[in-house]
Amino acid sequence: MIMMLRVILNVSVLLLFTCGARAQDFIPLWPVGKMPDSKGLHLKDSIVNERAYQVGVPGMYAFFPSKDDNCGAAVVIYPGGGYSHIALNLGGFQLAKWFNTLGISAFVVKYRLPNSPDAVKSELAPLQDGQRALQIVRANAKTWNIQKNKIGAMGTSAGGHLAAWVGTAEEDITSLKDSIDENSFEPNFMILVSPVIDMGEFAHKGSRESLLGKNPSDELIKKYSPQNNVTDKAPPCFIADAFNDKTVQPINSLLFYQALLQHKISTSFHVFPQGGHAINVNNTPGSTSFWKELCEEWLKEMGFISFEKK
């Protein structure tokens, strides 16, 4: 029975990759039995109130714009949740639908959480899923009418940490060595909203503990603080934050911006007076509500979307 289920899932994944996904299709990230950093446990997803607390089958939900509006760009979205859960709707689906209005294909990643009993090394699982998602989008760029040099990574809160890490990592840790793995995991741009960045002095303690444990070594803290990984090869970045964020200190964004600036990486950095830790698509107060328009204009200015849709 288990063997039959594996065959069915593998065939389903193959059909998605060869025939093209439809809007909001779920695309598994790994072939059955070949997921890295796995003990081989068969876990079920635990999703309550549009939040995932356990991920048995990591994958991504595909949202495509209409054919007439498609501008050829794509964004892979990592929702936040402090690495203890994933806010699929607020930090994922709502953003994906907004990107579709810009003609951008969007993929919301349901990545494995570090607390997974199946993970061999807890900190690797979400990062492997983050890289694999970008590789899958790039591998299927032609089928999905996406240009390979216009694929970005976006994250909110702890998802911002994941996006920043994927955007600055130099090592491919997916380690599957299949045809998809031949494609680059490096995003062409980053969009970070209220991101967790630092794992040291200014860390969001919940995110750090969930990802690295209660007493991480100095080596782990440095390695998983993306501001330390920025090089001259980092992609351009858009950052939006709120001065009154009491959950994740805005200095996280500043640290990342400073690192990008030192390496002369083009960055659009915005800190708004209001918004707290709730900058999203809807119901954002005051001038913070303009973050979407600023992001759209930045994407145009950087050449990732056309000034006039086709």
PDB file of all heavy atoms in Angstrom, residues 240-266:
ATOM      1  N   ALA A 240      10.934  46.596   4.014  1.00  0.00           N
ATOM      2  CA  ALA A 240       9.911  47.431   4.653  1.00  0.00           C
ATOM      3  C   ALA A 240       9.804  47.033   6.118  1.00  0.00           C
ATOM      4  O   ALA A 240       9.713  45.842   6.445  1.00  0.00           O
ATOM      5  CB  ALA A 240       8.563  47.264   3.958  1.00  0.00           C
ATOM      6  N   ASP A 241       9.815  48.027   6.985  1.00  0.00           N
ATOM      7  CA  ASP A 241       9.760  47.756   8.426  1.00  0.00           C
ATOM      8  C   ASP A 241       8.984  48.868   9.117  1.00  0.00           C
ATOM      9  O   ASP A 241       8.683  49.901   8.502  1.00  0.00           O
ATOM     10  CB  ASP A 241      11.177  47.669   8.997  1.00  0.00           C
ATOM     11  CG  ASP A 241      11.294  46.646  10.113  1.00  0.00           C
ATOM     12  OD1 ASP A 241      10.325  46.488  10.879  1.00  0.00           O
ATOM     13  OD2 ASP A 241      12.358  46.012  10.218  1.00  0.00           O
ATOM     14  N   ALA A 242       8.664  48.658  10.383  1.00  0.00           N
ATOM     15  CA  ALA A 242       7.943  49.667  11.168  1.00  0.00           C
ATOM     16  C   ALA A 242       8.762  50.050  12.393  1.00  0.00           C
ATOM     17  O   ALA A 242       9.287  49.176  13.098  1.00  0.00           O
ATOM     18  CB  ALA A 242       6.577  49.147  11.593  1.00  0.00           C
ATOM     19  N   PHE A 243       8.840  51.336  12.649  1.00  0.00           N
ATOM     20  CA  PHE A 243       9.605  51.837  13.790  1.00  0.00           C
ATOM     21  C   PHE A 243       9.048  51.304  15.100  1.00  0.00           C
ATOM     22  O   PHE A 243       9.781  51.066  16.066  1.00  0.00           O
ATOM     23  CB  PHE A 243       9.573  53.375  13.795  1.00  0.00           C
ATOM     24  CG  PHE A 243      10.315  53.998  14.929  1.00  0.00           C
ATOM     25  CD1 PHE A 243      11.694  54.145  14.866  1.00  0.00           C
ATOM     26  CD2 PHE A 243       9.638  54.442  16.063  1.00  0.00           C
ATOM     27  CE1 PHE A 243      12.390  54.726  15.929  1.00  0.00           C
ATOM     28  CE2 PHE A 243      10.317  55.023  17.118  1.00  0.00           C
ATOM     29  CZ  PHE A 243      11.700  55.171  17.057  1.00  0.00           C
ATOM     30  N   ASN A 244       7.715  51.108  15.160  1.00  0.00           N
ATOM     31  CA  ASN A 244       7.083  50.691  16.410  1.00  0.00           C
ATOM     32  C   ASN A 244       6.877  49.177  16.493  1.00  0.00           C
ATOM     33  O   ASN A 244       6.000  48.701  17.207  1.00  0.00           O
ATOM     34  CB  ASN A 244       5.754  51.415  16.610  1.00  0.00           C
ATOM     35  CG  ASN A 244       4.692  51.006  15.585  1.00  0.00           C
ATOM     36  OD1 ASN A 244       5.026  50.478  14.519  1.00  0.00           O
ATOM     37  ND2 ASN A 244       3.417  51.248  15.909  1.00  0.00           N
ATOM     38  N   ASP A 245       7.684  48.423  15.772  1.00  0.00           N
ATOM     39  CA  ASP A 245       7.616  46.966  15.856  1.00  0.00           C
ATOM     40  C   ASP A 245       8.199  46.524  17.203  1.00  0.00           C
ATOM     41  O   ASP A 245       9.398  46.671  17.448  1.00  0.00           O
ATOM     42  CB  ASP A 245       8.410  46.333  14.694  1.00  0.00           C
ATOM     43  CG  ASP A 245       8.205  44.830  14.584  1.00  0.00           C
ATOM     44  OD1 ASP A 245       7.837  44.193  15.580  1.00  0.00           O
ATOM     45  OD2 ASP A 245       8.414  44.294  13.477  1.00  0.00           O
ATOM     46  N   LYS A 246       7.367  45.970  18.068  1.00  0.00           N
ATOM     47  CA  LYS A 246       7.800  45.531  19.395  1.00  0.00           C
ATOM     48  C   LYS A 246       8.120  44.043  19.434  1.00  0.00           C
ATOM     49  O   LYS A 246       8.576  43.528  20.457  1.00  0.00           O
ATOM     50  CB  LYS A 246       6.703  45.837  20.435  1.00  0.00           C
ATOM     51  CG  LYS A 246       6.279  47.292  20.502  1.00  0.00           C
ATOM     52  CD  LYS A 246       7.433  48.220  20.842  1.00  0.00           C
ATOM     53  CE  LYS A 246       6.965  49.672  20.942  1.00  0.00           C
ATOM     54  NZ  LYS A 246       8.103  50.603  21.198  1.00  0.00           N
ATOM     55  N   THR A 247       7.883  43.345  18.332  1.00  0.00           N
ATOM     56  CA  THR A 247       8.114  41.906  18.298  1.00  0.00           C
ATOM     57  C   THR A 247       9.504  41.585  17.772  1.00  0.00           C
ATOM     58  O   THR A 247      10.277  40.858  18.411  1.00  0.00           O
ATOM     59  CB  THR A 247       7.054  41.208  17.416  1.00  0.00           C
ATOM     60  OG1 THR A 247       5.757  41.509  17.934  1.00  0.00           O
ATOM     61  CG2 THR A 247       7.266  39.697  17.400  1.00  0.00           C
ATOM     62  N   VAL A 248       9.827  42.120  16.608  1.00  0.00           N
ATOM     63  CA  VAL A 248      11.159  41.964  16.012  1.00  0.00           C
ATOM     64  C   VAL A 248      11.777  43.354  15.917  1.00  0.00           C
ATOM     65  O   VAL A 248      11.253  44.232  15.218  1.00  0.00           O
ATOM     66  CB  VAL A 248      11.091  41.310  14.619  1.00  0.00           C
ATOM     67  CG1 VAL A 248      12.482  41.253  13.988  1.00  0.00           C
ATOM     68  CG2 VAL A 248      10.493  39.907  14.717  1.00  0.00           C
ATOM     69  N   GLN A 249      12.868  43.572  16.594  1.00  0.00           N
ATOM     70  CA  GLN A 249      13.483  44.894  16.617  1.00  0.00           C
ATOM     71  C   GLN A 249      13.857  45.340  15.201  1.00  0.00           C
ATOM     72  O   GLN A 249      14.514  44.596  14.459  1.00  0.00           O
ATOM     73  CB  GLN A 249      14.734  44.888  17.489  1.00  0.00           C
ATOM     74  CG  GLN A 249      14.478  44.563  18.953  1.00  0.00           C
ATOM     75  CD  GLN A 249      15.765  44.622  19.768  1.00  0.00           C
ATOM     76  OE1 GLN A 249      16.427  45.657  19.836  1.00  0.00           O
ATOM     77  NE2 GLN A 249      16.123  43.504  20.375  1.00  0.00           N
ATOM     78  N   PRO A 250      13.456  46.554  14.812  1.00  0.00           N
ATOM     79  CA  PRO A 250      13.768  47.049  13.463  1.00  0.00           C
ATOM     80  C   PRO A 250      15.258  47.104  13.150  1.00  0.00           C
ATOM     81  O   PRO A 250      15.637  47.150  11.982  1.00  0.00           O
ATOM     82  CB  PRO A 250      13.152  48.455  13.450  1.00  0.00           C
ATOM     83  CG  PRO A 250      12.081  48.412  14.488  1.00  0.00           C
ATOM     84  CD  PRO A 250      12.607  47.496  15.558  1.00  0.00           C
ATOM     85  N   ILE A 251      16.096  47.056  14.191  1.00  0.00           N
ATOM     86  CA  ILE A 251      17.533  47.068  13.939  1.00  0.00           C
ATOM     87  C   ILE A 251      17.954  45.836  13.136  1.00  0.00           C
ATOM     88  O   ILE A 251      19.007  45.828  12.483  1.00  0.00           O
ATOM     89  CB  ILE A 251      18.333  47.168  15.264  1.00  0.00           C
ATOM     90  CG1 ILE A 251      19.771  47.596  14.965  1.00  0.00           C
ATOM     91  CG2 ILE A 251      18.283  45.863  16.041  1.00  0.00           C
ATOM     92  CD1 ILE A 251      20.572  47.937  16.211  1.00  0.00           C
ATOM     93  N   ASN A 252      17.130  44.785  13.142  1.00  0.00           N
ATOM     94  CA  ASN A 252      17.404  43.620  12.302  1.00  0.00           C
ATOM     95  C   ASN A 252      17.502  44.040  10.837  1.00  0.00           C
ATOM     96  O   ASN A 252      18.439  43.666  10.126  1.00  0.00           O
ATOM     97  CB  ASN A 252      16.308  42.567  12.473  1.00  0.00           C
ATOM     98  CG  ASN A 252      16.502  41.688  13.692  1.00  0.00           C
ATOM     99  OD1 ASN A 252      16.989  40.562  13.597  1.00  0.00           O
ATOM    100  ND2 ASN A 252      16.113  42.202  14.854  1.00  0.00           N
ATOM    101  N   SER A 253      16.519  44.824  10.400  1.00  0.00           N
ATOM    102  CA  SER A 253      16.530  45.300   9.014  1.00  0.00           C
ATOM    103  C   SER A 253      17.726  46.211   8.756  1.00  0.00           C
ATOM    104  O   SER A 253      18.349  46.162   7.682  1.00  0.00           O
ATOM    105  CB  SER A 253      15.230  46.056   8.706  1.00  0.00           C
ATOM    106  OG  SER A 253      14.119  45.189   8.747  1.00  0.00           O
ATOM    107  N   LEU A 254      18.042  47.053   9.743  1.00  0.00           N
ATOM    108  CA  LEU A 254      19.164  47.982   9.599  1.00  0.00           C
ATOM    109  C   LEU A 254      20.481  47.230   9.443  1.00  0.00           C
ATOM    110  O   LEU A 254      21.326  47.597   8.615  1.00  0.00           O
ATOM    111  CB  LEU A 254      19.229  48.920  10.800  1.00  0.00           C
ATOM    112  CG  LEU A 254      20.361  49.950  10.800  1.00  0.00           C
ATOM    113  CD1 LEU A 254      20.267  50.854   9.583  1.00  0.00           C
ATOM    114  CD2 LEU A 254      20.341  50.773  12.084  1.00  0.00           C
ATOM    115  N   LEU A 255      20.659  46.164  10.215  1.00  0.00           N
ATOM    116  CA  LEU A 255      21.884  45.376  10.124  1.00  0.00           C
ATOM    117  C   LEU A 255      22.048  44.778   8.728  1.00  0.00           C
ATOM    118  O   LEU A 255      23.153  44.757   8.168  1.00  0.00           O
ATOM    119  CB  LEU A 255      21.875  44.261  11.177  1.00  0.00           C
ATOM    120  CG  LEU A 255      22.047  44.693  12.633  1.00  0.00           C
ATOM    121  CD1 LEU A 255      21.792  43.516  13.568  1.00  0.00           C
ATOM    122  CD2 LEU A 255      23.436  45.261  12.872  1.00  0.00           C
ATOM    123  N   PHE A 256      20.936  44.304   8.174  1.00  0.00           N
ATOM    124  CA  PHE A 256      21.004  43.705   6.847  1.00  0.00           C
ATOM    125  C   PHE A 256      21.262  44.781   5.796  1.00  0.00           C
ATOM    126  O   PHE A 256      22.054  44.584   4.871  1.00  0.00           O
ATOM    127  CB  PHE A 256      19.713  42.948   6.544  1.00  0.00           C
ATOM    128  CG  PHE A 256      19.836  41.968   5.407  1.00  0.00           C
ATOM    129  CD1 PHE A 256      20.727  40.909   5.484  1.00  0.00           C
ATOM    130  CD2 PHE A 256      19.053  42.093   4.269  1.00  0.00           C
ATOM    131  CE1 PHE A 256      20.851  40.000   4.429  1.00  0.00           C
ATOM    132  CE2 PHE A 256      19.162  41.201   3.222  1.00  0.00           C
ATOM    133  CZ  PHE A 256      20.066  40.140   3.301  1.00  0.00           C
ATOM    134  N   TYR A 257      20.604  45.924   5.954  1.00  0.00           N
ATOM    135  CA  TYR A 257      20.818  47.031   5.013  1.00  0.00           C
ATOM    136  C   TYR A 257      22.273  47.495   5.038  1.00  0.00           C
ATOM    137  O   TYR A 257      22.885  47.741   3.998  1.00  0.00           O
ATOM    138  CB  TYR A 257      19.890  48.196   5.352  1.00  0.00           C
ATOM    139  CG  TYR A 257      20.195  49.451   4.570  1.00  0.00           C
ATOM    140  CD1 TYR A 257      20.025  49.486   3.185  1.00  0.00           C
ATOM    141  CD2 TYR A 257      20.674  50.593   5.207  1.00  0.00           C
ATOM    142  CE1 TYR A 257      20.324  50.628   2.460  1.00  0.00           C
ATOM    143  CE2 TYR A 257      20.969  51.740   4.496  1.00  0.00           C
ATOM    144  CZ  TYR A 257      20.795  51.757   3.120  1.00  0.00           C
ATOM    145  OH  TYR A 257      21.104  52.878   2.401  1.00  0.00           O
ATOM    146  N   GLN A 258      22.842  47.605   6.235  1.00  0.00           N
ATOM    147  CA  GLN A 258      24.233  48.039   6.345  1.00  0.00           C
ATOM    148  C   GLN A 258      25.175  47.074   5.625  1.00  0.00           C
ATOM    149  O   GLN A 258      26.112  47.498   4.942  1.00  0.00           O
ATOM    150  CB  GLN A 258      24.631  48.149   7.823  1.00  0.00           C
ATOM    151  CG  GLN A 258      24.026  49.352   8.527  1.00  0.00           C
ATOM    152  CD  GLN A 258      24.401  49.415   9.990  1.00  0.00           C
ATOM    153  OE1 GLN A 258      24.527  48.387  10.654  1.00  0.00           O
ATOM    154  NE2 GLN A 258      24.602  50.623  10.497  1.00  0.00           N
ATOM    155  N   ALA A 259      24.896  45.773   5.764  1.00  0.00           N
ATOM    156  CA  ALA A 259      25.738  44.775   5.099  1.00  0.00           C
ATOM    157  C   ALA A 259      25.606  44.884   3.580  1.00  0.00           C
ATOM    158  O   ALA A 259      26.595  44.809   2.845  1.00  0.00           O
ATOM    159  CB  ALA A 259      25.349  43.373   5.566  1.00  0.00           C
ATOM    160  N   LEU A 260      24.380  45.089   3.101  1.00  0.00           N
ATOM    161  CA  LEU A 260      24.165  45.261   1.664  1.00  0.00           C
ATOM    162  C   LEU A 260      24.862  46.524   1.158  1.00  0.00           C
ATOM    163  O   LEU A 260      25.474  46.530   0.087  1.00  0.00           O
ATOM    164  CB  LEU A 260      22.662  45.335   1.366  1.00  0.00           C
ATOM    165  CG  LEU A 260      21.856  44.051   1.609  1.00  0.00           C
ATOM    166  CD1 LEU A 260      20.360  44.352   1.573  1.00  0.00           C
ATOM    167  CD2 LEU A 260      22.198  42.985   0.574  1.00  0.00           C
ATOM    168  N   LEU A 261      24.762  47.595   1.945  1.00  0.00           N
ATOM    169  CA  LEU A 261      25.383  48.861   1.571  1.00  0.00           C
ATOM    170  C   LEU A 261      26.903  48.718   1.485  1.00  0.00           C
ATOM    171  O   LEU A 261      27.534  49.237   0.556  1.00  0.00           O
ATOM    172  CB  LEU A 261      25.005  49.936   2.590  1.00  0.00           C
ATOM    173  CG  LEU A 261      25.363  51.383   2.260  1.00  0.00           C
ATOM    174  CD1 LEU A 261      24.633  51.843   1.003  1.00  0.00           C
ATOM    175  CD2 LEU A 261      25.019  52.300   3.440  1.00  0.00           C
ATOM    176  N   GLN A 262      27.495  48.011   2.434  1.00  0.00           N
ATOM    177  CA  GLN A 262      28.938  47.821   2.450  1.00  0.00           C
ATOM    178  C   GLN A 262      29.426  47.071   1.206  1.00  0.00           C
ATOM    179  O   GLN A 262      30.538  47.278   0.738  1.00  0.00           O
ATOM    180  CB  GLN A 262      29.357  47.071   3.712  1.00  0.00           C
ATOM    181  CG  GLN A 262      29.260  47.922   4.971  1.00  0.00           C
ATOM    182  CD  GLN A 262      29.450  47.115   6.243  1.00  0.00           C
ATOM    183  OE1 GLN A 262      29.613  45.903   6.205  1.00  0.00           O
ATOM    184  NE2 GLN A 262      29.439  47.793   7.381  1.00  0.00           N
ATOM    185  N   HIS A 263      28.543  46.216   0.687  1.00  0.00           N
ATOM    186  CA  HIS A 263      28.914  45.437  -0.498  1.00  0.00           C
ATOM    187  C   HIS A 263      28.326  46.047  -1.779  1.00  0.00           C
ATOM    188  O   HIS A 263      28.335  45.409  -2.830  1.00  0.00           O
ATOM    189  CB  HIS A 263      28.457  43.990  -0.342  1.00  0.00           C
ATOM    190  CG  HIS A 263      29.272  43.208   0.649  1.00  0.00           C
ATOM    191  ND1 HIS A 263      30.437  42.575   0.301  1.00  0.00           N
ATOM    192  CD2 HIS A 263      29.102  43.001   1.980  1.00  0.00           C
ATOM    193  CE1 HIS A 263      30.949  41.986   1.369  1.00  0.00           C
ATOM    194  NE2 HIS A 263      30.167  42.231   2.406  1.00  0.00           N
ATOM    195  N   LYS A 264      27.821  47.258  -1.659  1.00  0.00           N
ATOM    196  CA  LYS A 264      27.308  48.021  -2.797  1.00  0.00           C
ATOM    197  C   LYS A 264      26.191  47.279  -3.541  1.00  0.00           C
ATOM    198  O   LYS A 264      26.145  47.278  -4.777  1.00  0.00           O
ATOM    199  CB  LYS A 264      28.455  48.378  -3.747  1.00  0.00           C
ATOM    200  CG  LYS A 264      29.531  49.243  -3.090  1.00  0.00           C
ATOM    201  CD  LYS A 264      30.646  49.594  -4.055  1.00  0.00           C
ATOM    202  CE  LYS A 264      31.705  50.447  -3.368  1.00  0.00           C
ATOM    203  NZ  LYS A 264      32.827  50.799  -4.275  1.00  0.00           N
ATOM    204  N   ILE A 265      25.289  46.672  -2.752  1.00  0.00           N
ATOM    205  CA  ILE A 265      24.114  45.993  -3.312  1.00  0.00           C
ATOM    206  C   ILE A 265      22.952  46.968  -3.306  1.00  0.00           C
ATOM    207  O   ILE A 265      22.576  47.501  -2.238  1.00  0.00           O
ATOM    208  CB  ILE A 265      23.747  44.735  -2.506  1.00  0.00           C
ATOM    209  CG1 ILE A 265      24.955  43.783  -2.406  1.00  0.00           C
ATOM    210  CG2 ILE A 265      22.548  44.036  -3.130  1.00  0.00           C
ATOM    211  CD1 ILE A 265      25.486  43.295  -3.728  1.00  0.00           C
ATOM    212  N   SER A 266      22.360  47.216  -4.444  1.00  0.00           N
ATOM    213  CA  SER A 266      21.252  48.163  -4.554  1.00  0.00           C
ATOM    214  C   SER A 266      20.100  47.747  -3.645  1.00  0.00           C
ATOM    215  O   SER A 266      19.610  46.615  -3.720  1.00  0.00           O
ATOM    216  CB  SER A 266      20.763  48.230  -6.003  1.00  0.00           C
ATOM    217  OG  SER A 266      19.679  49.132  -6.117  1.00  0.00           O
TER     218      SER A 266
END
